[in-house]
Amino acid sequence: MPLEVIYVVRHGFRPAWTVDPRTGVYSSSVRTPTGIPTDPPLSAHGVRQSVELARRLMTLDPPIDVVYSSPAYRCLQTLTPYIEERRQLDTSAATKILPEKGIGEWHGTAHFEHPETAAAEVLNSEFPAYCADYVSIREPLRNGETIPQLYERVASTLRAIVERCDADGTRAILLCTHASVCITLGRVLTGNIPDDPSTEDFTAFTCGLSAYRRRRTRGGTKLQREKALSQSMAPAAAQTVLGDWSCELNGDCSFLTHGAERGWKFNGDEAFPGAQSLSQTESPKL
């Protein structure tokens, strides 16, 4: 049985961090559990959101078979209430978290290296459901990415995940990630990639839930595929992902007490001063 549904959630509300664009030194307004400024925990409000999200995830049909997550602390923390509730019912793959860097945070191109997430042993000690032996399909570039490079990274990661799920009979999966990747996932899965990245199409509110169902007719429309490929997408990634999915839920927050909060959208390529000049339409080096 091929993969049928992909559920996507953004992590809960979290504290902010800052970066000095001249030096590349990051700092956080709170002490982070991993000691990495860009890896903050959820705020108290974010924790409450994650509990409400868990209740919603438990009602999904078809139910979640496998959970993938960005290895960021806030994403793993967002999933914890759901994992704990699910574990009371069974010990299936849905009670483990596969840490996939291919759906990790996006940073704009810079003349310095962006921080990485914490080591597997550190995260596994904090989150027992974390699968320390899982090997990520892709990783973000250390000096950041252009928007086309982000699209390519997410598309190739999805391609590998979908192929793996098709092979083992997985019916539904959950991806927990970040705002930029939530939007990118929607564009890549549906093949609807706008000319202007700042177009408001797929929403990315904290703990918002999206759902993508596989189309009966694979591959989307010819126009969708041609437009996606023109946006510097790698053909190999496009072959088994772009246009194959329709959006049934777009950042739904109806189950959250305070509704939709802290929305985000692309605002340029977020390149730092001094970074190598790359246009948003330049093809990534594969």
Side-chain angles (χ1 to χ4, degrees):
M1 177 183 296
L3 182 65
E4 180 181 335
V5 178
I6 297 176
Y7 301 113
V8 178
V9 297
R10 183 187 173 191
H11 61 75
F13 203 93
R14 51 82 174 169
W17 64 76
T18 59
V19 59
D20 185 332
R22 298 167 299 174
T23 63
V25 175
Y26 282 84
S27 58
S28 176
S29 58
V30 299
R31 184 176 180 180
T32 62
T34 61
I36 302 170
T38 57
D39 200 23
L42 299 178
S43 65
H45 180 56
V47 171
R48 288 190 291 270
Q49 286 182 313
S50 69
V51 172
E52 294 181 322
L53 172 64
R55 295 177 188 141
R56 177 68 179 96
L57 295 180
M58 291 294 291
T59 69
L60 294 177
D61 184 24
I64 299 163
D65 295 315
V66 180
V67 178
Y68 289 88
S69 177
S70 159
Y73 194 97
R74 57 195 179 278
C75 289
L76 301 172
Q77 191 178 8
T78 296
L79 290 170
T80 296
Y82 165 73
I83 295 295
E84 292 177 346
E85 283 200 40
R86 187 68 183 270
R87 185 165 287 167
Q88 294 178 13
L89 299 179
D90 59 52
T91 57
S92 68
T95 61
K96 299 178 181 180
I97 301 175
L98 304 182
E100 177 51 62
K101 294 181 180 180
I103 56 172
E105 182 67 282
W106 172 65
H107 298 286
T109 55
H111 61 279
F112 52 83
E113 290 189 343
H114 297 289
E116 293 186 289
T117 51
E121 56 269 22
V122 173
L123 295 173
N124 190 221
S125 67
E126 292 276 338
F127 304 99
Y130 181 99
C131 292
D133 58 350
Y134 176 82
V135 178
S136 286
I137 298 162
R138 289 287 300 271
E139 295 189 23
L141 299 176
R142 289 300 308 279
N143 287 94
E145 300 160 303
T146 62
I147 292 177
Q149 286 173 327
L150 169 64
Y151 287 169
E152 191 279 326
R153 188 234 303 173
V154 172
S156 61
T157 300
L158 278 172
R159 174 172 61 96
I161 289 175
V162 170
E163 290 178 349
R164 181 181 300 165
C165 291
D166 285 348
D168 62 23
T170 298
R171 186 181 180 193
I173 62 173
L174 172 66
L175 309 179
C176 183
T177 184
H178 310 269
S180 58
V181 181
C182 284
I183 295 171
T184 300
L185 283 164
R187 293 174 179 179
V188 167
L189 288 169
T190 63
N192 294 318
I193 300 179
D195 295 325
D196 180 1
S198 66
T199 298
E200 297 188 38
D201 45 12
F202 298 98
T203 61
F205 299 106
T206 50
C207 278
L209 171 65
S210 296
Y212 299 90
R213 187 175 296 273
R214 208 167 199 164
R215 300 176 187 272
R216 291 183 179 179
T217 302
R218 302 285 298 280
T221 67
K222 181 179 179 181
L223 179 61
Q224 285 176 328
R225 185 174 295 277
E226 289 178 348
K227 185 174 183 179
L229 290 174
S230 72
Q231 292 288 331
S232 300
M233 295 299 303
Q239 288 173 5
T240 58
V241 177
L242 289 173
D244 286 354
W245 306 79
S246 59
C247 181
E248 293 190 344
L249 280 178
N250 184 8
D252 177 44
C253 296
S254 61
F255 54 89
L256 298 172
T257 299
H258 296 281
E261 297 179 280
R262 207 166 186 172
W264 187 94
K265 69 173 185 177
F266 285 98
N267 183 19
D269 60 10
E270 296 195 9
F272 287 77
Q276 182 180 3
S277 178
L278 289 172
S279 73
Q280 293 182 2
T281 58
E282 184 174 346
S283 298
K285 294 180 181 180
L286 305 178

